[in-house]
Every structure is written in structure tokens, then in C-alpha cells.
Amino acid sequence: MQTSIYHAEHEAFRKSVRAFLAKEVVPHFPDWEAAGCVPHEVYQKLGDLGMLGLRVPVEYGGGGEDGFLYSSVWSEECSRAGVSLGGAATHMNLVIPYILRQGTEEQKRRWLPDMAAGRRMGAIAMTEPGTGSDLAGIRTTARLEGGHWVLSGGKTFITGGINADLVVVVARTSEHADRRVGLSLLVVNADSEGFGRGRNLEKIGLKATDTAELFFDDVAVPADHLLGEEGQAFRYLAHNLVQERLGIALGSQVSAEKALRITVSYVKDRTAFGRPVSSFQNTKFELASCHVEVTAGRALLDQAMRAHEIGELTAAEASTVKVYCTETQNRVIDRCLQLHGGYGFMREYEIARMYTDSRISRIYGGTNEVQRVIIAKSLGL
Ligand SMILES: Cc1cc2nc3c(=O)[nH]c(=O)nc-3n(C[C@H](O)[C@H](O)[C@H](O)COP(=O)(O)OP(=O)(O)OC[C@H]3O[C@@H](n4cnc5c(N)ncnc54)[C@H](O)[C@@H]3O)c2cc1C
């Protein structure tokens, strides 16, 4: 079964992404993993090639391509090459869409050209040390004083937090009986006085991605850095998280497919008891079972991507595909690692890195338990 959502122009784009990754990323990736960060200049190279601003309209310095499929090709190729580019995916698929959707004309002109060119990278800061799943419990506050929002609080686990030049911060700007009202989005320049970065957090996987704590100590944010309407951030987040979850599902699906591919090849080469490991019935059944799950995941994902392209993917559908593809990914990679024996535990083997890199997919973008809460609501429960 072939996936059919892509057209000739997507495949041409795929070729250039593949060539870029092979030349500019794969050879340096182990160094970036060791450093815990992708060098900022790499984003400028990506910007020069037009890859970061694909969906940014031409008048703001982008490629003017509508829809999610180019970003999907990009994400598929990164998974295939076994690399991640720090906060690039967040920048392209989350931060830029917030500015495109919620920004005024003046804000778009102010930020998008630099963001499309990779001169300024964006991050999104929702999670705090005291609250992650329960976003309405955000404690970072901002109060309007003499033409500025005065922002105070702290965020954690922020993807791209070390490299970020612009951070979209979710802060409480007013109190209401309904806790979901009163949160706002503020765009903060990383060179503002009172803005600080904490540690680049040490993770079990995604080693080349910078994930940081951020602090705001009475940062004066100009009033015209408010994105969208005051108090409405929860609504914006709920809308934009649909695409984030679809993106996580996509990356997970591609990595499950890859795990299966490399394991089929490994078990044919490896011998035990004088026979290839592939000749044992257990190996065949394990890999056949993985194939069944991965095939079902691809069908579900394609259906969700088609719905998203025409603006019809609902929050519950995005949660469903996120749960299915991420849990399939984790199961498949675990079974594939088992078939590698002890080599599967060695980081020099790709399956070992895939195992640790993939564990996050059931947690970020909203945990799979939170996805189940959303799905259950859609069932009337
Ligand atoms: C590598 C990485 C990158 C990240 N990138 C970003 C980023 O760029 N920006 C950002 O803002 N955040 C980011 N996050 C944060 C991520 O979205 C949160 O970690 C996630 O939403 C969970 O929040 P938490 O860690 O506070 O867990 P908690 O909310 O404390 O959850 C703990 C456990 O309780 C469960 N739970 C919570 N509520 C319910 C419920 N109602 N019903 C059942 N179970 C429940 C959870 O599922 C989980 O198992 C990142 C996290 C990581 C690890």
C-alpha cells in the first residue's frame, strides 16, 4: 500500500531536503548531540534555502506554500535520516503559525521575514515547573503598566529555549471564574532586560535538541507584542495544538516504519545457532505484527492529514491519531530493539537511539492521558 497524499512538487522538495540533511546535518549530528544543541547558524542555512518559511506568505519573505504537507515531508526526512534539528520544527510548525494566525499585519511584517530567514528563531513557552497538563493553572503573570506588559514567572522544558530569539509566552493577564479565560500570548525578545535562560536540561533522548528553563523577572514587554486578543490564549492553544499533535503523530509513524525497516535488515544479517535470526518463527511473527500496526498507523495518519489539509481535523481526531501513532511507535521500537539483542542497548546502534528519542512522543504535545480525556469528551463522557 502506497501513501498517496503527496504530489510531484512535494517529492521534488523531498529530494532537496534529503540532500541538505545528508550534506549539512548528518555528518555533524554526533557533535551536536554531544553539545546538546544545534548551532544557530544552521538555522540561517535552512532559512537561506527557504525551508523554515515555507508556509510564510511571499510578502513576508516566505515560500507562500499553503498547507501542512511540506512540513510533513521535512519531518519525514528528518526521521528517516535519524536526526532532529533542535527547535526548527517548533519554529516552523508552531511559532510561525501563531504569528500568521493571531498576529496583526504590523506584527507579521515585524517578525516573519527574520523568522523565515532563520535570523531569529522562535519558541513557545506554556509549561511551568508547577503546571504542564493543566494549562489553565499557569502562574506566570503579566500586568499592563504604562504601555508595557510587566511579565514575571518561570517556564520549563522549552524546546529551542537556548537558541530562541523570540519566545511566545503564555501568561495570565486577568482573573476570571473560568480559569481558561484570562491567559494571553506575549512575544518576548530574548535580549529583553529581566529575561534569563536556565540550564539546557539533560534528557534521556533527543540529545541535539536544546530544552531549557526560562525566567522572566519583571520583563517589560511592549503592549504591541500581545498576540491576538487579551485573555483568549487558551482558545488559540486549543486550536494550534491540533497541528502540533498531528506533527508528533507523523514523526512517530515515520520512526516506527524506519525501526521496522532497519530491523528486517539486521535480523537477516545476524546469526544465532548457525542460522539467521530472521529464520526463527518468533522473529517473523514479531516483525509481521509490527508491520500490521505500522500499516494501520499510516492509513489513519493519511486520513488525518487529508482532513487537516481541508481544515476539518477535529481536536478529538488529532488526539486519536497522536495516541495511536505514538503508542504504536513505542511498541514497535521496543520489539525491534529486542530483536537486536544486546546491540540494541548500545547507542552506536540506531535502534537504541530511536528507543530513547521516541519515549517523549507519549508525553509532549499533551500527554496521551490528556489525549484520552479529550477523546472521552468527544464520546460524550
Ligand atoms: C523534551 C520536551 C520538550 C517539551 N517542549 C515543550 C515546549 O516547547 N513548550 C512547552 O510549553 N512545553 C514543552 N514540554 C512540556 C510538555 O508539554 C509537558 O511535559 C507535558 O504537557 C506534561 O506536563 P507535565 O510534565 O507537567 O506533567 P504533569 O501534568 O505533571 O503530568 C504527570 C502525569 O499525570 C497525568 N495527568 C495529568 N493530568 C491528567 C488527567 N486530567 N487525567 C489523567 N492523567 C493526568 C499525566 O498524563 C502524566 O502521566 C516539553 C516537554 C519535554 C519533556
Side-chain angles (χ1 to χ4, degrees):
M1 279 184 273
Q2 284 290 317
T3 166
S4 57
I5 49 174
Y6 298 116
H7 303 301
E9 60 272 25
H10 300 123
E11 295 309 331
F13 176 66
R14 185 185 300 282
K15 272 195 190 153
S16 46
V17 172
R18 205 171 278 185
F20 176 82
L21 294 176
K23 181 161 176 266
E24 303 284 353
V25 176
V26 173
H28 310 291
F29 196 67
D31 294 340
W32 301 347
E33 282 193 309
C37 208
V38 173
H40 202 294
E41 343 36 293
V42 174
Y43 298 124
Q44 247 158 290
K45 284 190 191 166
L46 276 172
D48 291 345
L49 289 169
M51 290 187 187
L52 288 179
L54 275 169
R55 297 181 65 187
V56 172
V58 178
E59 61 268 35
Y60 309 120
E65 297 293 350
D66 204 15
F68 185 58
L69 292 180
Y70 285 94
S71 326
S72 310
V73 168
W74 167 251
S75 156
E76 286 193 359
E77 289 306 311
C78 284
S79 279
R80 256 191 207 112
V83 298
S84 55
L85 276 168
T90 303
H91 174 85
M92 288 195 290
N93 299 329
L94 289 176
V95 184
I96 286 178
Y98 272 113
I99 293 174
L100 280 173
R101 211 178 155 82
Q102 270 80 41
T104 60
E105 179 60 24
E106 195 278 320
Q107 288 174 330
K108 289 179 195 171
R109 292 201 181 280
R110 188 193 304 157
W111 291 314
L112 290 174
D114 278 351
M115 295 180 86
R119 287 187 292 272
R120 292 171 108 186
M121 293 300 290
I124 171 100
M126 300 174 272
T127 307
E128 301 181 351
T131 195
S133 302
D134 179 18
L135 285 177
I138 280 175
R139 294 225 172 136
T140 295
T141 57
R143 56 182 196 283
L144 201 51
E145 272 180 21
H148 282 87
W149 292 98
V150 180
L151 178 68
S152 316
K155 300 285 181 181
T156 193
F157 301 154
I158 307 309
T159 301
I162 297 291
N163 268 324
D165 306 286
L166 289 173
V167 183
V168 177
V169 179
V170 185
R172 181 156 294 286
T173 47
S174 53
E175 295 290 344
H176 300 264
D178 179 350
R179 292 185 311 144
R180 289 170 302 178
V181 182
L183 295 172
S184 301
L185 300 179
L186 292 173
V187 182
V188 178
N189 279 323
D191 57 7
S192 307
E193 200 170 320
F195 172 85
R197 301 180 213 262
R199 291 175 295 147
N200 187 4
L201 300 166
E202 200 180 327
K203 305 186 293 299
I204 62 169
L206 295 183
K207 299 271 188 192
T209 299
D210 49 319
T211 307
E213 299 167 315
L214 303 177
F215 305 105
F216 309 92
D217 182 9
D218 284 347
V219 178
V221 182
D224 65 358
H225 282 217
L226 175 74
L227 209 49
E229 282 179 55
E230 188 276 327
Q232 296 302 313
F234 199 88
R235 201 157 50 84
Y236 305 146
L237 296 177
H239 180 274
N240 291 359
L241 281 168
V242 166
Q243 178 162 300
E244 179 176 5
R245 288 167 185 159
L246 182 61
I248 293 169
L250 173 74
S252 302
Q253 173 65 26
V254 178
S255 90
E257 289 168 357
K258 179 173 183 176
L260 181 56
R261 237 181 3 257
I262 62 178
T263 307
V264 166
S265 155
Y266 180 82
V267 296
K268 286 183 187 163
D269 286 345
R270 178 76 181 167
T271 55
F273 297 94
R275 299 159 56 184
V277 169
S278 59
S279 68
F280 301 122
Q281 190 186 45
N282 177 64
T283 306
K284 293 178 203 277
F285 280 13
E286 281 293 286
L287 291 175
S289 299
C290 288
H291 173 76
V292 170
E293 288 203 61
V294 161
T295 305
R298 179 51 81 172
L300 181 63
L301 179 72
D302 281 2
Q303 190 187 326
M305 285 178 50
R306 278 198 196 91
H308 187 57
E309 279 299 283
I310 53 170
E312 288 186 357
L313 187 70
T314 66
E317 287 165 348
S319 296
T320 304
V321 70
K322 191 221 177 213
V323 166
Y324 192 85
C325 291
T326 56
E327 294 183 5
T328 296
Q329 173 199 32
N330 280 203
R331 273 194 304 274
V332 165
I333 291 177
D334 185 57
R335 291 167 103 167
C336 287
L337 185 150
Q338 186 70 15
L339 291 172
H340 281 69
Y343 295 96
F345 201 65
M346 301 296 136
R347 272 190 71 81
E348 65 193 273
Y349 278 74
E350 196 163 14
I351 196 71
R353 297 196 300 276
M354 292 176 82
Y355 183 80
T356 49
D357 285 352
S358 64
R359 186 59 184 84
I360 187 59
S361 61
R362 281 157 52 204
I363 297 171
Y364 65 9
T367 65
N368 282 13
E369 291 72 35
V370 168
Q371 306 314 306
R372 284 180 164 85
V373 171
I374 296 168
I375 296 165
K377 262 192 203 145
S378 78
L379 299 175
L381 300 172

